[in-house]
Amino acid sequence: MFDLVLRDATLPDRGSGPLDIGVIDGLIAAIGRDLGSARLDETAGGRLVLPGFVDSHLHLDKSCILDRCTAEGALADAIAEVARLKRDFSEEDVYARAEATLVKAILQGTMRIRSHVEIDPRIGLRSFAALKRLQRDFAWAVDLELCVFPQEGLLNDPGTEELLVEACEMGADLIGGCPYTDSDPQAHVDRIFAIARRFDLDIDFHLDFDLDPSWMHLDAVIAATERNGWAGRVAVGHVTKLSAIPPEALTTIGNRLAAAGIAVTVLPATDLFLMGRRHDHNVPRGVAPAHRLAELGVTCSLATNNVLNPFTPFGDGSLNRIANLYANVAQLGRKAEMICCLDMVTAGAARLMRCADYGIDIGKAADLVVMDATDPALSVAEIAQPLMGFKRGIKTFERAAPRLLRP
Ligand SMILES: [Zn+2]
């Protein structure tokens, strides 16, 4: 007797015809045809079933503040605007806005999220406390991990490091850095690694977020990763500079990243919105070619980053939409390329977050999302909607398929 059987599921990696997925105690216990009875019996109706979307880079704490903003649109303006606004963020305010964004993401089929959380003397630990509560309150629907980081710098911002350490003592899941906002970027990278070592944490940097390829903080991060033996435990986000270098140089850097065990997250919605602001025509896209890095063996993900704030005044929480956006911007139209984009919001992002229990396989977590599509490439191309989801075998949402009402 299964707790759940999801019948008639199309699983592209498993060859011909739809299969049933049987779940016991939150784990996938069987995959096959005509599985036996279950307490909850559901059907995917032959549709594509995915192991849940994985958002490896999201800022829940500063989402949904568009109605308070006046920023012009450049990166520095966005940072300054949030720096001003967050002095007034209360724990309840952060919780309410973060909850609204989290619910959107859950309804879009996202089941694992890494949220960055700003820590500094202005906001203190209020956002962190709010997101810790949210992490507990929504554990039934989503695995939410919290990456504390100094958005406005570390060595230039006295008191920040002590607060970061306090957050780590209170159970932060990992630590981030933002060397481009610091007066001493190299020392910033070194201090973040020192905290990571002290608390045995993975690291996720905001990095190289402009289009000047003549210098990169990536070199410092690669060197520190090797020096500290942190291979496989470091990710970098944005790296928009990598969109501004020719293919040979990109190949060299991609090979170095793969060898160093450093993963890359590209945030197309934000990067498109903020980069190239000095151009009034022929505006560069400013989106790093994640698919090319993935071809070189770099673990890569595409992620949401910001929702309804001055960094990205858009967002519905849909990672399928982000995969489609990236495919469009990177000019990827072939079937295998679309599937690569889907991988970067599912399995690739799960590898980046080191989710050992991810995937539709026996013994893995029964995280299952039924898409309104039968083909993975078309699911991206059409921005197919998720119709229902199960987190560890428990149904967490459903969406009725739209019906045309002919006269
Ligand atoms: Zn970010």
Side-chain angles (χ1 to χ4, degrees):
M1 183 79 165
F2 295 101
D3 298 325
L4 163 72
V5 172
L6 180 59
R7 300 188 189 276
D8 208 12
T10 292
L11 306 173
D13 296 340
R14 289 185 178 256
S16 58
L19 297 169
D20 300 346
I21 302 167
V23 176
I24 296 173
D25 290 337
L27 302 178
I28 296 173
I31 300 173
R33 292 186 207 284
D34 302 319
L35 294 186
S37 59
R39 273 180 277 277
L40 179 63
D41 209 301
E42 296 270 3
T43 180
R47 294 186 181 85
L48 175 68
V49 174
L50 300 174
F53 290 98
V54 181
D55 209 334
S56 68
H57 188 131
L58 180 62
H59 293 262
L60 288 171
D61 55 346
K62 57 185 174 190
S63 68
C64 304
I65 53 171
L66 214 46
D67 55 347
R68 309 174 196 183
C69 292
T70 55
E72 285 299 316
L75 172 61
D77 296 338
I79 294 174
E81 176 100 273
V82 174
R84 179 176 65 78
L85 290 171
K86 73 181 165 191
R87 291 172 190 274
D88 298 327
F89 288 178
S90 67
E91 187 180 322
E92 287 312 313
D93 173 44
V94 173
Y95 187 98
R97 289 183 291 99
E99 181 183 22
T101 303
L102 188 66
V103 167
K104 277 192 205 177
I106 292 166
L107 293 174
Q108 296 288 354
T110 300
M111 296 195 161
R112 299 167 192 248
I113 295 174
R114 173 177 292 176
S115 181
H116 292 266
V117 192
E118 296 190 14
I119 305 279
D120 57 52
R122 267 80 58 207
I123 187 64
L125 297 171
R126 297 194 298 281
S127 292
F128 181 66
L131 295 195
K132 284 295 282 182
R133 275 170 51 208
L134 201 67
Q135 188 181 43
R136 283 192 298 272
D137 294 350
F138 280 84
W140 55 274
V142 63
D143 297 320
L144 174 61
E145 64 176 39
L146 303 180
C147 177
V148 294
F149 89 114
Q151 171 74 77
E152 294 167 50
L154 187 60
L155 286 98
N156 56 311
D157 199 358
T160 300
E161 183 163 348
E162 290 78 359
L163 286 164
L164 277 174
V165 167
E166 205 176 326
C168 291
E169 285 166 347
M170 290 165 66
D173 299 294
L174 70 163
I175 186 152
C178 197
Y180 67 80
T181 55
D182 207 309
S183 48
D184 189 343
Q186 174 71 55
H188 183 116
V189 170
D190 292 342
R191 290 307 307 153
I192 295 299
F193 268 92
I195 298 171
R197 287 185 69 113
R198 177 171 163 194
F199 292 95
D200 191 25
L201 300 175
D202 292 0
I203 306 174
D204 197 331
F205 284 104
H206 286 72
L207 209 74
D208 290 343
F209 197 10
D210 62 58
L211 299 182
D212 176 4
S214 64
W215 57 272
M216 294 189 189
H217 293 145
L218 197 53
D219 297 316
V221 170
I222 291 172
T225 301
E226 289 170 344
R227 200 167 54 241
N228 286 284
W230 236 242
R233 304 190 65 180
V234 177
V236 296
H238 295 294
V239 283
T240 49
K241 286 174 186 283
L242 299 186
S243 72
I245 58 175
E248 309 74 47
L250 184 75
T251 299
T252 302
I253 290 176
N255 287 332
R256 288 176 66 205
L257 288 169
I262 296 173
V264 170
T265 299
V266 169
L267 298 315
T270 302
D271 299 344
L272 281 165
F273 185 69
L274 291 178
M275 292 295 99
R277 288 271 170 168
R278 268 177 293 191
H279 298 252
D280 63 5
H281 64 287
N282 240 346
V283 181
R285 298 163 191 231
V287 176
H291 63 291
R292 298 233 181 277
L293 297 172
E295 281 169 10
L296 296 167
V298 181
T299 297
C300 289
S301 68
L302 306 171
T304 300
N305 197 33
N306 281 293
V307 176
L308 302 178
N309 72 14
F311 294 86
T312 316
F314 317 115
D316 54 1
S318 165
L319 280 171
N320 204 28
R321 185 179 64 77
I322 294 291
N324 175 285
L325 175 64
Y326 179 85
N328 204 156
V329 168
Q331 303 176 332
L332 304 176
R334 289 182 296 134
K335 185 173 172 124
E337 293 171 330
M338 297 269 192
I339 290 172
C340 170
C341 293
L342 182 59
D343 182 78
M344 289 193 284
V345 292
T346 53
R351 281 197 303 281
L352 183 146
M353 286 172 58
R354 302 206 293 154
C355 304
D357 61 346
Y358 182 86
I360 299 182
D361 259 312
I362 309 288
K364 303 290 188 187
D367 294 356
L368 306 167
V369 174
V370 178
M371 302 300 293
D372 194 9
T374 54
D375 175 88
L378 277 176
S379 177
V380 173
E382 298 181 315
I383 320 182
Q385 295 291 299
L387 296 183
M388 68 175 89
F390 304 85
K391 181 66 180 170
R392 290 185 209 91
I394 306 294
K395 197 170 188 181
T396 50
F397 74 91
E398 61 187 359
R399 172 184 281 102
R403 282 190 308 133
L404 183 67
L405 303 175
R406 291 184 189 275

